[in-house]
């Protein structure tokens, strides 16, 4: 049996970011990770796009904007600690449109083309969001993993948490505690637990978090300068250029459970939508295809904060915004765990909004 002060279940970007924040504030923290490679972190495009996604005025938009503002300093601290580059790029995001919109800030076709030449003839205008940005999600995952190790955080991989041990039957109106974790490598105990298992959260707790499969691909520009200087967030697809010549194209959104693999139709849809938006992409070299599972809730908002158990905190269900929300989630969850005080930022994301009590 292993004991520690705080146990985080899940080793993706959310679990790692929370662990780093807790450790920085003096807490003893351990991460249990089943498979680092399957985390949604690796399958993302890394967009930091609260404005490009056109989120309506809401607590979610407020949280996303706060997290975007935290990003530069957060990345600087991680890179300074590890000596690695996370690929953060404040490149701005352009949202070309095939249909006119009356929302403020509309740019006509001529104005859009000053930001990005060679867009499709179908593009009639769009919007420019200079404060939105991107980060290389795969590089960020490595930076976070290394930062956790540099700080002395214990990370145990290959551990499958099978069940929560509790003093009472698991009921949503119960105020009982988690007494231990039952795993494939024995019993683990802690004072506090944090659930950050993304799309797999329902395996441990009956909360409505489901996988939403996303297929993606990458092309590469060879032998000349990168023709894209900002992200293109279109109506049917997004195109995310990296400074090294790699260009990410995404993403499908499929309710197929944990069905593995890329499909011919999925890749076809991605390429067709990307070429329609930015025709030159058809001449670039196809480099890679992959897929991942986003943790989705019925209202597509995360589940953050307290749980049915007094010593279990939830940090899951981030859907498309796990990369964007990592800094603010880490800050808010660490504060909540260490102070045990309700954070107003988390009230809109409480599990009880789904009325699952019995």
């Amino acid at each position: 049996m292993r004991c520690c002060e705080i146990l985080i279940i899940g080793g993706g970007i959310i679990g790692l970011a929370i662990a780093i924040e807790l450790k920085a504030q003096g807490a003893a923290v351990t991460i249990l990770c089943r498979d680092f490679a399957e985390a949604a972190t690796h399958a993302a495009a890394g967009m930091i796009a609260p404005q490009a996604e056109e989120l309506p005025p809401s607590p979610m938009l407020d949280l996303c904007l706060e997290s975007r503002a935290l990003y530069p300093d957060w990345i600087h601290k991680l890179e300074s600690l590890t000596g690695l580059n996370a690929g953060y790029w404040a490149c701005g995001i352009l949202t070309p449109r095939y249909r006119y919109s009356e929302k403020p800030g509309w740019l006509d076709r001529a104005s859009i083309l000053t930001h990005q030449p060679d867009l499709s003839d179908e593009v009639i205008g769009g919007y420019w969001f200079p404060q939105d940005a991107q980060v290389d999600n795969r590089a960020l995952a490595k930076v976070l993993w290394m930062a956790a190790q540099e700080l002395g955080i214990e990370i145990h991989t290959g551990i499958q948490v099978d069940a929560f041990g509790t003093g009472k039957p698991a009921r949503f109106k119960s105020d009982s505690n988690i007494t231990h974790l039952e795993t494939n490598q024995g019993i683990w105990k802690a004072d506090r637990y944090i659930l950050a298992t993304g799309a797999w959260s329902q395996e441990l707790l009956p909360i409505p978090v489901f996988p939403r499969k996303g297929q993606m691909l990458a092309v590469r520009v060879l032998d000349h300068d990168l023709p894209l200087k900002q992200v293109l967030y279109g109506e049917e697809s997004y195109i995310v250029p990296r400074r090294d010549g790699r260009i990410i194209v995404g993403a499908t959104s499929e309710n197929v459970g944990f069905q593995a693999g890329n499909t011919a139709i999925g890749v076809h849809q991605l390429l067709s939508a990307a070429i329609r938006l930015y025709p030159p992409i058809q001449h670039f070299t196809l480099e890679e295809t992959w897929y991942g599972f986003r943790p989705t809730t019925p209202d597509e908002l995360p589940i953050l904060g307290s749980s049915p158990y007094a010593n279990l905190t939830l940090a899951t269900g981030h859907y498309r915004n796990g990369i964007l929300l990592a800094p603010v989630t880490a800050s808010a969850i660490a504060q909540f765990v260490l102070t045990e005080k309700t954070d107003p930022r988390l009230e809109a994301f409480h599990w009880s909004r789904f009325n699952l009590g019995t």
Side-chain angles (χ1 to χ4, degrees), residues 286-299:
L286 182 62
E287 185 175 75
E288 181 186 4
T289 62
W290 67 96
Y291 64 94
F293 302 104
R294 309 177 190 90
T296 308
T297 65
D299 59 9

Side-chain angles (χ1 to χ4, degrees), residues 273-292:
I275 292 169
R276 181 188 180 196
L277 179 63
Y278 182 67
I281 208 167
Q282 65 189 300
H283 303 298
F284 302 156
T285 301
L286 182 62
E287 185 175 75
E288 181 186 4
T289 62
W290 67 96
Y291 64 94

